[in-house]
C-alpha cells in the first residue's frame, strides 16, 4: 500500500507493515529449513494457515504475487526465501515489480549495463 509521502509505486516497510506482515515473514523465515520447504510444497494452504496468514496473504502466496505479498506486509528479504521455493529468481521478482515480462526486464538490465 502506497504511503502519501512515498514515491509513486513504492511500498514503505515500516513498523505498521512489519506488524501487518509478521505471520507472512515468520513463515518465510521458516524456509531456512529444507524440511519446512518440503512441508510447504506438500500442502501450501495448510502451511500458511499454520503460520496464521490472513486471506489476502494466502491468496498472494497461492497466486505467486510478490507485489501483493509486499502490500500485505511482506519484507522482500524474507519473501526472497519464498520466491526460491517457487523457483523464482531475482529477475522474476524484478519483472513483477516493474510490470514487465522477464525477457523485457532482462533486456532492460542488459541495456543499462547490469
Amino acid at each position: 500500500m502506497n504511503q502519501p509521502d512515498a514515491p509513486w509505486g513504492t511500498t514503505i516497510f515500516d513498523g505498521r507493515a512489519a506488524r501487518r506482515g509478521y505471520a507472512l515473514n515468520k513463515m518465510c523465515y521458516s524456509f531456512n529449513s529444507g524440511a519446512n520447504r518440503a512441508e510447504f510444497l506438500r500442502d501450501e494452504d495448510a502451511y500458511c494457515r499454520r503460520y496464521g496468514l490472513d486471506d489476502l496473504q494466502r491468496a498472494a502466496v497461492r497466486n505467486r504475487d510478490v507485489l501483493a505479498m509486499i502490500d500485505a506486509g511482506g519484507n522482500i528479504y524474507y519473501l526472497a526465501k519464498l520466491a526460491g521455493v517457487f523457483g523464482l529468481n531475482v529477475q522474476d521478482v524484478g519483472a513483477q515489480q516493474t510490470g514487465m515480462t522477464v525477457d523485457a526486464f532482462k533486456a532492460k538490465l542488459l541495456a543499462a549495463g547490469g
Side-chain angles (χ1 to χ4, degrees):
M1 123 179 15
N2 286 330
Q3 288 85 356
D5 55 342
W8 182 88
T10 301
T11 300
I12 304 296
F13 188 80
D14 57 9
R16 207 168 57 233
R19 286 187 297 280
R20 188 172 64 248
Y22 180 77
L24 175 61
N25 293 317
K26 184 175 179 181
M27 182 186 78
C28 290
Y29 183 79
S30 79
F31 297 136
N32 284 325
S33 160
N36 288 342
R37 293 189 298 271
E39 184 180 341
F40 172 81
L41 290 172
R42 276 192 299 276
D43 190 343
E44 290 182 20
D45 199 54
Y47 199 85
C48 290
R49 285 192 316 272
R50 177 175 134 198
Y51 277 87
L53 273 64
D54 65 26
D55 291 340
L56 290 174
Q57 291 168 334
R58 287 197 332 264
V61 169
R62 189 172 40 258
N63 295 325
R64 312 303 196 245
D65 187 341
V66 175
L67 292 180
M69 291 181 223
I70 290 171
D71 282 343
N75 181 299
I76 191 62
Y77 296 104
Y78 293 120
L79 294 177
K81 296 176 184 306
L82 182 58
V85 173
F86 294 152
L88 300 174
N89 62 38
V90 174
Q91 292 177 344
D92 296 315
V93 174
Q96 278 193 28
Q97 290 179 305
T98 58
M100 304 173 89
T101 66
V102 174
D103 288 338
F105 185 72
K106 286 179 183 179
K108 181 178 179 175
L109 291 176
L110 288 172

